Amino acid sequence: MRTCPWKCVVLLLAAVFTLSALIYGHYDLDFIYSDGRVIQQRLLTVTDSSLPLYKESGEATTAPPEDERVTPCTLRQTVQRDPLLQQRFNFSVPVLQWPGHSSIGEWQRLQLRPPPYGWKGLPWDVVNSTLALLSDPRSGRLFERVGPRPCVRCAVVGNGGILRGSGQGGAIDAHHYVFRVNGAVTKGFEEDVGTKTSFYGFTTNTMKNSLISYRTAGFLRVPQGQGIRYIFIPSDMRDYRMLAAAIRGAPVTSGEDRGDLPSTYFGQNPSVHQFKLLHPDFITYVKDRFLKSPLLRMMYGHLYMPSTGALMLMTALHSCDQVSAYGFITDNYKDFSDHYFDMVKKPLVFYANHDMQMESRLWEQLHTRKVLWLYKRPSEE
């Protein structure tokens, strides 16, 4: 009987190692999201040593130059090289809705899940007529890839107090596209948060609440301009009605926002292609694959959804080649105010409809695995 040569043994060991990485890697990711720091440390030790780690120091970190941030350029290739990440990322899930999704089959499927994860409880005529208005070919894409640009670099800017005094405005504006959310105050804070806005993400509820809550901080209106695209998060019927009215250039005709003039929020005569609508399947995918919080099993679990900032960051990760996250929660969030525009330091408040601590662990994991770059800085004195 012939014995297996040494090459056979090496190949067998390699196969066993790969299979183990797939099995146990999936196990680790399943449990890190429901069991916090201890398992997170276990996950973070499994890194690909061939990928360069980000350099950290005692000083505030600055986004590395484009050619040093991720190797290779596109984060999708980074995901493909990591068995653990492959278990979570699925780039075939549609990020945005467009008229092609308006069909009886889609209606029958998505009406089984309530918003934002589906269309349950929403009138078919409202959903169908709203999607029909997204008729511009660009409605189903965040941006067009024009010319030989090798890497599309995006910055997603949260409103965290870590940005106050950060001096990151120039670095943020240097990205090709900049995402902002909710109370996106820039006037008076240009040095720290920049001035550029490419995408503004919101639900109708968070947008209107931000205009009320942060008025004294300088958030007097939603970012406006022909170069700005508005990403609606379909949290309930209000978002479909507001979007339809905005495209038509007419007042909202029914519901809680009846009589509202969309031009108040989005300016006069915006183009159809400026409006985007997240797909319920994408929101479901983000929740199930990345942010399946224990809050879902609690009393107010029906209210749970990923935060606006989380959904915009995940949107960028599924659309751009390189992504930087600014103003998101880090380990030392208690040392900073809730928002960068707070005049008096305020503690971060956690609500039952979001799991912000779980989100912060996810950003740290993705930063460590070189999928995104997370802005951090030492605690304030």
Side-chain angles (χ1 to χ4, degrees):
M1 180 176 178
R2 294 181 60 187
T3 58
C4 183
W6 67 270
K7 290 184 179 180
C8 179
V9 175
V10 171
L11 289 173
L12 181 61
L13 290 174
V16 171
F17 177 80
T18 301
L19 181 61
S20 299
L22 286 170
I23 294 173
Y24 292 103
H26 182 68
Y27 175 88
D28 277 354
L29 281 172
D30 276 345
F31 280 84
I32 182 172
Y33 297 134
S34 60
D35 200 21
R37 297 284 178 187
V38 174
I39 296 181
Q40 178 193 16
Q41 292 171 359
R42 212 168 88 213
L43 171 65
L44 296 183
T45 61
V46 186
T47 58
D48 183 349
S49 59
S50 67
L51 296 178
L53 294 174
Y54 297 117
K55 296 179 180 179
E56 305 283 359
S57 69
E59 301 177 355
T61 58
T62 301
E66 182 174 344
D67 59 349
E68 295 180 8
R69 180 178 311 235
V70 178
T71 304
C73 160
T74 172
L75 62 86
R76 297 191 183 204
Q77 293 182 29
T78 302
V79 169
Q80 290 170 0
R81 292 170 57 173
D82 189 325
L84 297 177
L85 295 174
Q86 289 178 29
Q87 296 294 322
R88 284 293 172 264
F89 280 88
N90 180 1
F91 294 104
S92 66
V93 176
V95 176
L96 302 174
Q97 297 186 70
W98 64 86
H101 291 130
S102 180
S103 68
I104 296 300
E106 283 293 274
W107 171 254
Q108 292 174 340
R109 182 177 67 86
L110 288 172
Q111 71 172 339
L112 299 177
R113 303 195 302 254
Y117 309 111
W119 294 337
K120 185 176 182 179
L122 306 182
W124 163 246
D125 61 329
V126 174
V127 173
N128 186 44
S129 60
T130 300
L131 294 187
L133 293 170
L134 295 169
S135 56
D136 191 289
R138 293 168 289 183
S139 296
R141 300 185 294 272
L142 279 186
F143 50 79
E144 302 294 322
R145 291 179 179 265
V146 180
R149 178 185 294 169
C151 276
V152 175
R153 300 175 59 239
C154 298
V156 185
V157 185
N159 298 325
I162 192 172
L163 284 177
R164 190 178 183 92
S166 67
Q168 293 298 303
I172 290 171
D173 286 348
H175 290 76
H176 297 120
Y177 298 104
V178 177
F179 293 69
R180 299 187 191 272
V181 300
N182 298 335
V185 182
T186 56
K187 187 175 182 180
F189 301 93
E190 296 88 348
E191 184 176 343
D192 294 332
V193 303
T195 61
K196 185 176 183 178
T197 301
S198 311
F199 298 97
Y200 176 72
F202 62 98
T203 69
T204 299
N205 183 61
T206 62
M207 175 186 71
K208 297 184 78 169
N209 283 345
S210 295
L211 287 167
I212 295 172
S213 301
Y214 309 133
R215 182 176 181 82
T216 56
F219 190 61
L220 305 180
R221 71 173 193 176
V222 170
Q224 295 180 7
Q226 288 298 315
I228 297 175
R229 277 80 101 197
Y230 301 100
I231 303 178
F232 279 74
I233 299 171
S235 64
D236 59 29
M237 178 54 64
R238 297 177 69 186
D239 300 297
Y240 289 91
R241 287 177 172 144
M242 180 65 75
L243 174 58
I247 295 175
R248 291 188 179 116
V252 179
T253 57
S254 60
E256 186 174 342
D257 306 299
R258 181 177 181 178
D260 267 14
L261 295 173
S263 59
T264 303
Y265 310 114
F266 314 114
Q268 297 292 334
N269 304 316
S271 301
V272 174
H273 77 271
Q274 290 181 254
F275 296 102
K276 316 292 180 181
L277 181 63
L278 286 190
H279 199 293
D281 281 348
F282 182 71
I283 302 174
T284 301
Y285 154 75
V286 171
K287 182 257 296 180
D288 288 344
R289 293 285 190 98
F290 298 94
L291 294 169
K292 200 163 188 176
S293 171
L295 293 176
L296 286 162
R297 301 190 296 271
M298 297 183 181
M299 180 181 299
Y300 299 104
H302 63 287
L303 299 177
Y304 173 80
M305 64 181 288
S307 70
T308 306
L311 288 173
M312 287 304 99
L313 190 46
M314 295 305 295
T315 295
L317 286 170
H318 287 75
S319 305
C320 309
D321 295 316
Q322 296 181 355
V323 176
S324 303
Y326 296 85
F328 284 79
I329 299 175
T330 54
D331 287 342
N332 58 344
Y333 70 87
K334 293 182 180 179
D335 297 314
F336 304 100
S337 190
D338 191 357
H339 307 105
Y340 64 80
F341 47 76
D342 292 335
M343 295 299 105
V344 178
K345 186 175 180 179
K346 301 176 182 178
L348 177 63
V349 178
F350 296 98
Y351 297 98
N353 61 329
H354 302 311
D355 193 335
M356 304 300 289
Q357 291 180 315
M358 183 182 195
E359 291 180 8
S360 71
R361 293 195 296 269
L362 175 60
W363 312 144
E364 180 63 39
Q365 295 157 22
L366 296 180
H367 171 86
T368 301
R369 305 190 82 83
K370 282 78 68 181
V371 178
L372 59 76
W373 181 85
L374 177 66
Y375 172 71
K376 307 177 186 180
R377 63 187 289 196
S379 301
E380 295 177 332
E381 296 296 335

